[in-house]
Amino acid sequence: MHILVTGGAGYIGSHAVVQLQQAGHTVTVLDNLCNSAEEALLRVARITGTAPGFVLGDVRDRQLLDELFADNRFDAVMHFAALKAVGESVRQPLRYFENNVGGTISLCQAMERAGVFRMVFSSSATVYGDPESVPIPETAPMGEPTNPYGRSKRMVEQVLTELPRADERWSVALLRYFNPVGAHESGLIGEDPQDIPNNLVPYIAQVAIGRLEQLSVFGSDYPTGDGTGVRDYIHVDDLVDGHLRALEVIRERPGVQVWNLGTGRGYSVLEMIRAFEQVSGREIPYRLSPRRAGDIAACWADPEKAGRELGWQARHGLERMMADTWRWQSRNPEGYRKG
Ligand code: NAD
Ligand code: UD1
């Protein structure tokens, strides 16, 4: 198939391009590089031996989209392009809604005009809000996400859910990610935050490499085993494998399908620190700090539906997630900027 990958220069998108190419698909990336570097795509080409098509542009640019769809016969779209910094979304909600919700709407309109009706969308476990219980199945009620970023994901899910009701040619996969971590085993591509990382694993990795001094552990009084927050960390390559399988399933099945992509088990912040120390041989200095606003105590997936319907399950354990993160970080201490 010929797949349009929006946000394909980003962290998860670049790993998706690798797997799509390795599975024999043709890939065109559309990315405005607002949170990524073209270098990521050069690295992808080193891994796969083939440079993906690349269009520098914005998913909100209707004219560009029409030209892109006129020039190519896409079979499906994997839509990763979005802004994802939670704190920033609180300060700039309109920018987040415009980019994430508005961008998806203009993309779907261009798809409709071009007669392309298959989309795999990057959603998030954040749509469950603070869950009533764990593990979380897809049937759990949508909660109240604690920030505009999370609400933008919930809004896009609502928009995409309407499409097949109006036109039965649409087939949409809403993939709810738990906590993607890790990197490609080559150490060539990985997560490259532009500022100080918000997320736990990139923060730990930058402490380990010496770019940051100390980790703040946000909250040690949660009702969890050791008092720190528990999350379902999933290797980015397992996550991407779920996308390829979802793509195959929605090819034959119109409508909207929702799948959790998580491992089904949670680890605490302190367990994550220990696992990273073991793999890297570096000490991670940390300090117990107050809870972060908007955080929940524990969140992990019930991945049974994805197992049953996609024939998918996460294969890589915590040690592999940490080893791949460390390989990427230690070989690229400054991310894509040097090295
Ligand atoms: P990322 O920032 O690395 O990748 C997003 C890419 O989209 C970037 O390359 C950016 O330049 C591009 N982009 C943003 N807005 C664009 C626009 N208007 N037009 C064109 N390109 C644009 O983020 P990621 O971690 O790879 O996330 C990919 C997707 O997965 C996002 O939709 C994100 O919300 C979702 N998601 C990520 C996580 C996570 O923890 N990383 C968790 C749940 C969901
Ligand atoms: C965060 C976002 C969520 C988003 C997800 C994936 C918030 C409130 N939520 O979720 O919307 O979908 O990232 O991008 O930001 N932690 C520390 N110290 C740190 C960083 C994190 O102790 O410096 C802890 C957190 O309190 C949490 C765990 O580590 O318990 C994981 O944090 P993080 O990686 O930010 O992911 P989420 O909080 O699950």
Side-chain angles (χ1 to χ4, degrees), residues 155-306:
M155 283 181 202
V156 171
E157 283 207 5
Q158 287 164 339
V159 169
L160 295 178
T161 302
E162 292 299 328
L163 301 182
R165 291 188 185 138
D167 185 333
E168 59 189 20
R169 287 174 295 178
W170 277 100
S171 46
V172 176
L174 306 178
L175 303 183
R176 294 179 180 159
Y177 307 169
F178 281 68
N179 290 61
V181 299
H184 189 265
E185 62 177 349
S186 63
L188 284 167
I189 57 172
E191 187 166 9
D192 180 22
Q194 312 262 299
D195 298 313
I196 294 177
N198 299 304
N199 296 114
L200 179 65
V201 172
Y203 203 107
I204 292 178
Q206 291 198 11
V207 171
I209 203 73
R211 275 171 72 177
L212 295 169
E213 239 166 61
Q214 188 182 49
L215 173 76
S216 295
V217 173
F218 295 143
S220 50
D221 57 350
Y222 283 110
T224 58
D226 63 20
T228 65
V230 171
R231 297 290 186 275
D232 184 339
Y233 298 93
I234 176 169
H235 195 292
V236 62
D237 278 330
D238 282 331
L239 185 84
V240 165
D241 178 35
H243 288 62
L244 269 76
R245 289 166 191 258
L247 185 64
E248 291 305 323
V249 169
I250 65 164
R251 226 175 146 173
E252 312 297 333
R253 212 199 295 178
V256 175
Q257 326 288 330
V258 184
W259 289 292
N260 281 342
L261 295 181
T263 66
R265 86 155 281 189
Y267 289 98
S268 73
V269 176
L270 295 182
E271 286 174 315
M272 295 296 282
I273 295 172
R274 260 178 249 120
F276 198 91
E277 286 181 333
Q278 245 163 28
V279 161
S280 65
R282 302 265 171 120
E283 193 198 339
I284 309 296
Y286 70 87
R287 151 171 64 103
L288 299 180
S289 309
R291 294 180 180 192
R292 179 171 66 179
D295 268 1
I296 56 177
C299 168
W300 67 90
D302 178 350
E304 187 273 336
K305 183 169 183 272

Side-chain angles (χ1 to χ4, degrees), residues 127-129 131-132 136-143:
V127 300
Y128 295 117
E132 281 165 17
I136 310 173
E138 290 83 350
T139 48
M142 292 261 240

Side-chain angles (χ1 to χ4, degrees), residues 87-133:
E88 188 181 69
S89 80
V90 176
R91 294 187 298 276
Q92 305 176 0
L94 289 174
R95 198 173 145 233
Y96 271 68
F97 293 131
E98 190 204 10
N99 198 78
N100 296 1
V101 185
T104 305
I105 291 173
S106 61
L107 177 63
C108 289
Q109 287 172 326
M111 289 173 69
E112 212 166 52
R113 286 192 291 273
V116 179
F117 292 99
R118 293 190 196 107
M119 176 183 276
V120 177
F121 173 66
S122 303
S123 188
S124 166
T126 191
V127 300
Y128 295 117
D130 193 352
E132 281 165 17
S133 61

Side-chain angles (χ1 to χ4, degrees), residues 6-14 30-37 57-60 79-84 99-100 103 121-126 149 153 175-181 191-192 199 239:
T6 74
Y11 169 44
I12 302 169
S14 57
L30 172 65
D31 201 305
N32 64 5
L33 302 182
C34 69
N35 195 39
S36 53
D58 198 293
V59 290
R60 291 164 298 175
H79 180 33
F80 295 99
L83 300 175
K84 65 162 185 177
N99 198 78
N100 296 1
F121 173 66
S122 303
S123 188
S124 166
T126 191
Y149 163 74
K153 290 288 164 190
L175 303 183
R176 294 179 180 159
Y177 307 169
F178 281 68
N179 290 61
V181 299
E191 187 166 9
D192 180 22
N199 296 114
L239 185 84

